[in-house]
Amino acid sequence: GESVGLHLPTLSVQEGDNSIINCAYSNSASDYFIWYKQESGKGPQFIIDIRSNMDKRQGQRVTVLLNKTVKHLSLQIAATQPGDSAVYFCAEGINNAGNMLTFGGGTRLMVKP
Amino acid sequence: DAMVIQNPRYQVTQFGKPVTLSCSQTLNHNVMYWYQQKSSQAPKLLFHYYDKDFNNEADTPDNFQSRRPNTSFCFLDIRSPGLGDAAMYLCATSRDWLAGGVEQFFGPGTRLTVL
């Protein structure tokens, strides 16, 4: 569901380390899940998506894992770089006419040089 | 490059003074969305257009209206902005899921300040 807090969880990692950002989703009927990256003052940017019939998907330096049993989604970023610093949102969606997305609460990733 | 464009990027208005935010897209997507995003929060969907069909979220205040004169353009009208309406407003587009689209493409947003 939507975050209602005023403070985002923050993950601080050293440059070059791997990052893991977690997300708990709410709807067991969701057909797909998307990770978005949002830099300060910009709109969310698509990173990777995964369909509900998959449990893992890899992209360039990123891997998304889906555990439907516990309704958990994670984003792994390999060799984290300063440019990865941003707020990351997971979103879940159902295949329907409007492609509606429900955003989860975000996580702020801070990369230390 | 195909993209979602929002104008203006920054908008300042006075309490109660109507304001219109605009969004245009060159992606030729049939679905367009307006979100409100407050500081440190996730985007909150206000409404969306599926082609010309307008779909309002149940908790979107009547103060917020929208127009979509054609496929490329969509407007967000705030009839009487209050201090609580200060936020980033994000426009997004997507293809119909039947056409294989799930991703929503976001514009850069318009940051609204209400004085």
Side-chain angles (χ1 to χ4, degrees):
Chain A
E2 186 179 290
S3 170
V4 295
L6 294 178
H7 300 284
L8 288 171
T10 298
L11 175 66
S12 185
V13 300
Q14 202 71 38
E15 180 178 358
D17 288 351
N18 297 333
S19 304
I20 299 176
I21 301 171
N22 296 303
C23 175
Y25 64 91
S26 57
N27 190 348
S28 57
S30 292
D31 295 306
Y32 57 89
F33 306 86
I34 302 178
W35 280 101
Y36 281 95
K37 171 186 179 183
Q38 188 174 25
E39 296 175 272
S40 181
K42 297 182 179 180
Q45 177 187 3
F46 173 90
I47 301 173
I48 191 169
D49 67 331
I50 187 168
R51 305 289 172 143
S52 61
N53 61 352
M54 303 169 68
D55 53 21
K56 180 179 180 179
R57 189 165 188 221
Q58 288 184 292
Q60 187 177 13
R61 279 201 309 120
V62 296
T63 301
V64 57
L65 299 178
L66 174 63
N67 185 331
K68 293 184 287 293
T69 302
V70 295
K71 292 192 285 188
H72 182 267
L73 193 67
S74 70
L75 176 70
Q76 301 177 3
I77 304 174
T80 313
Q81 302 169 0
D84 295 326
S85 294
V87 176
Y88 290 79
F89 290 99
C90 64
E92 54 184 307
I94 297 175
N95 288 332
N96 58 23
N99 284 355
M100 309 302 288
L101 286 179
T102 300
F103 281 84
T107 297
R108 186 181 306 280
L109 176 65
M110 297 178 62
V111 182
K112 295 177 289 186
Chain B
D1 286 341
M3 57 197 314
V4 181
I5 303 163
Q6 290 188 246
N7 286 304
R9 294 293 313 278
Y10 301 91
Q11 176 74 56
V12 180
T13 191
Q14 291 181 329
F15 183 94
K17 185 175 181 181
V19 65
T20 294
L21 309 182
S22 73
C23 176
S24 64
Q25 55 133 337
T26 59
L27 297 162
N28 202 33
H29 287 168
N30 62 321
V31 192
M32 294 187 77
Y33 312 80
W34 278 105
Y35 288 87
Q36 179 193 66
Q37 186 178 29
K38 296 190 175 181
S39 181
S40 299
Q41 295 185 22
K44 179 182 183 297
L45 183 66
L46 296 173
F47 24 60
H48 76 278
Y49 276 94
Y50 182 83
D51 293 324
K52 293 184 178 180
D53 292 335
F54 177 72
N55 298 271
N56 200 31
E57 290 300 295
D59 57 354
T60 298
D62 292 340
N63 197 28
F64 292 87
Q65 302 288 319
S66 186
R67 296 169 284 136
R68 189 180 186 185
N70 53 52
T71 300
S72 301
F73 286 87
C74 196
F75 300 97
L76 170 62
D77 300 309
I78 308 176
R79 294 193 295 190
S80 181
L83 297 179
D85 296 328
M88 174 78 87
Y89 289 88
L90 295 164
C91 175
T93 74
S94 76
R95 291 179 294 164
D96 190 330
W97 76 274
L98 290 171
V102 298
E103 177 186 351
Q104 291 186 15
F105 295 79
F106 284 84
T110 294
R111 181 162 298 283
L112 178 68
T113 300
V114 182
L115 302 177

